[in-house]
Amino acid sequence: MSSSHEESTRPLLPAGAGHYDDDGHSTLVPPSGATSSLSSFYEGTLRPYLVDAPRDLYLTHVHPRLPHTLRDEHNPAPRRWLAAALLFLLGFVLGLALPNTSPVPPLGSLVDPAAVHAHLSALDAIAHNSPAGNRAVGYEGYDRSVDHVVAAILADNSVTCVPTIQAFDVPLFVRKPAAPAIVLKQTAPFLLEFDSAVEVIYHVGGAARVTNGIVQLLKNPCSSDEWLWFPKGGVAVFWYRCPLDVALKLAKSANAGAVLLAWRKVPVNGAAVATAAAAVDLPEPSCSTLSAATLRSVSPIGGAVAGLLQAEAAKSIQAPVATFFVQENFLALLEAQLESGAKVRLDAVYDGEWKVAQVSNVLCDTLEGEANNTVVIGAHLDGVPFGPGIDDNGSGSSTVLTILQTLYQSGYHRRLKNRVRFAFWAAEELGGLGSEFYLANLTETSSTELNQIAAAINLDMVGAPNGWPRFGNGTTAPEAIRAGSEALSSLQQSLIVEVHCTEQRQFALEPFGGSDHVLFLAYGIPAASFATGAGNVATAQDRLRFGAVENAAADPCYHKACDGIANVDMELVKTMARTAGDLLQALGEMKNLREVLEFPLKDVQ
C-alpha cells in the first residue's frame, strides 16, 4: 500500500488531539490529562455547536460539514478546495486517457487498524477522564462517546451521511457516590469473600441489603411450588432456564432479598437449548484445505437460536428484586455446596437509587443505494459501569466508525447499489434497549421503513485478548429467516478464508445470542454477527484450534475495570474489521440482495 494511499485513508483527528508518525500510526494525548486537547476539542468545537442543543434536534442542526469558521480552524482542507478540484479534474482526464489495469482492492483491505486504534484510544481517554471512569449509559462517559462518534463523522470531509441522534429514556439503578461496590461474601459454613468485579457480569433491579441471608437453590424458578418454603429475605440461586420476568415475580412474592443466576441453557420459544458449542469431530478450517463451497455444507453447531437473553433482560431492568447475573463457575460453586447439604449463607449488598436517563442511538444513512435493500451495520457504543468498556464494546463501535470513514474516503460509497445504515446502539448492556427501541419505533411509526431492512450486521467484542473469530451460525436462526442468515454466515466464512488467508485465522460458528443482532432476528430480519468471546473459558480443544490460553477467559477483563486500551488484541481486530468491511461491501454492491438472502420485500399496507 502506497504512502499516499495511507495518507488518504487516515481518519481526521481533532485538532491538537494527536498526530500520525512516519509509519502511519496515530498518537493521542494520554487519558490522564484532565485538560487534554481532546477534551478542549469537545468543549471548544463540538459542544457549542451540537451538544448544547437538544439531542432530538440534531437532525435539523447537524450537517456533514462543521460551520465554516470552525471548519477552517480545525481542518485546513476546505481552504485548498480549488487545488483539490484541479487535481481531481486532472486525474479524471488521465483516467479517461489511460487504461486502468489495476484491480480494485476490496473495502476490507483498506480498513486501517491504526484508525480503529485511534478511536479506541479516544474512547479510553473519555472513560478515564469521566468522573465515574466508565462509558455506561446514564453517565458522562457515554454522552462523550456519542459526541466522539458525531464529531468524527462531521470532521471527515469525505463523509456525506448525516449523523442522526435517536434519543429515548431508560430507567437506571445507579450506585450512590458514597456507597461501596457490590458486596458478595459467603458467611457460612465458612467465610469466603468474592470479588464482585470478577463474579458479577451485570445487575438489574434495585438495591440489595442482605446480611447473612439463607441461600436456597431452585431447580425450576418458574414453578410457584418451589417458592412455597423460601426463607424471607434469603438469596435465591438458580440457572436461567425459564422466562426471567416470571421467576423474578415469584421471587418478589416470596420476599427474596436477592437473586443470583447464570445461564447454561437459555429459553427460546419454550425450548431450552445449549449455548455452548456442540462437540463435533470435523476437519479444522484452513486456507489450504477448506473452500468456500465446503464451508457452505459444514455446520458444526445445530439447534435453535441460542436465546433472546438480551430481550429477556430488557424486560427486567426494573426487576422487582435485586438480581445479579454471575459467572457460571461462581454459581456452580454455590450449587455444589448446596447439593452436598451445606447450609450456605451470604451477604449481598448493593446500594443505590433509581433515575431516568436520556440516552441516544446514533444513525447515519448513505445517500447512495436502494432504500428497499437497506443493510444495517452496527455495534453498541455503551459499556458497563465497572470499567472503560474498550473491548466491550469500544472495539466493535470503533470498527464500525472506521468502516464508515473508509467507505467514504475510498470513494466506494459511489458504488453502492443498496443503502447502508451505520448504527451505534445505546444500552445494549441493559438488555439491547437501543436496538430494541429502534426496531419497536419503526414498527409503530414506519412499517415500510422496517420492511426496507434486508440484512443486519453486528459487531460486539472483536478484540478479546484470548479470543478468536466467532460468527453466528445461520442454521440456528428462526426458520422464517434461516436461509438469509445462512447465506450471510456462508459469506462471512468465505471472506475470512479466501480473503484473509495470510493471517491463518481459524474461526468458530456459534448459535446466535447475546447482542443487538438477536433483536433483528426477533423482528424477522436476517443477521450476521462478529464476536471474539467474552467471559467464556478456553478449553484444551480451543488451545489446539485457536492457540488460546487454556482455562483462561477469552476476555479476562470482561465487564471489569481492566477493560482498557491494553486489553484489546489489535491483530484480531484487524482480521474482524477487514472481514466485516468486505461483507458490507459485498452486501452493499449486490444487485440481487434479497434473492440471495431469500428474503423478499413484503407488501406493506
Side-chain angles (χ1 to χ4, degrees), residues 355-379:
K355 74 171 187 177
V356 175
Q358 186 179 82
V359 300
S360 304
N361 294 327
V362 182
L363 307 171
C364 210
D365 289 3
T366 60
L367 303 179
E368 301 80 9
E370 173 59 48
N372 282 337
N373 295 325
T374 297
V375 178
V376 177
I377 179 170

Side-chain angles (χ1 to χ4, degrees), residues 539-560:
T539 64
Q541 185 181 12
D542 297 330
R543 174 176 56 81
L544 294 174
R545 288 185 64 187
F546 311 112
V549 177
E550 190 175 346
N551 296 323
D555 184 349
C557 291
Y558 175 54
H559 285 187
K560 299 178 189 175

Side-chain angles (χ1 to χ4, degrees), residues 438-464:
Y438 164 75
L439 291 163
N441 188 61
L442 289 184
T443 301
E444 295 174 3
T445 62
S446 179
S447 56
T448 298
E449 188 173 353
L450 179 67
N451 188 36
Q452 288 176 333
I453 302 173
I457 305 170
N458 187 63
L459 286 77
D460 195 345
M461 299 182 68
V462 294

Side-chain angles (χ1 to χ4, degrees), residues 142-208:
Y142 182 74
D143 292 337
R144 289 290 183 109
S145 298
V146 170
D147 296 345
H148 173 77
V149 170
V150 174
I153 296 172
L154 294 177
D156 191 329
N157 284 324
S158 67
V159 176
T160 57
C161 76
V162 179
T164 305
I165 293 296
Q166 184 183 46
F168 59 99
D169 291 337
V170 296
L172 292 175
F173 185 80
V174 181
R175 177 166 60 96
K176 294 178 180 178
I182 296 170
V183 174
L184 286 178
K185 182 171 66 175
Q186 182 171 318
T187 55
F190 50 84
L191 185 63
L192 184 61
E193 293 196 31
F194 299 103
D195 185 351
S196 62
V198 173
E199 305 299 350
V200 178
I201 298 173
Y202 58 88
H203 158 271
V204 295

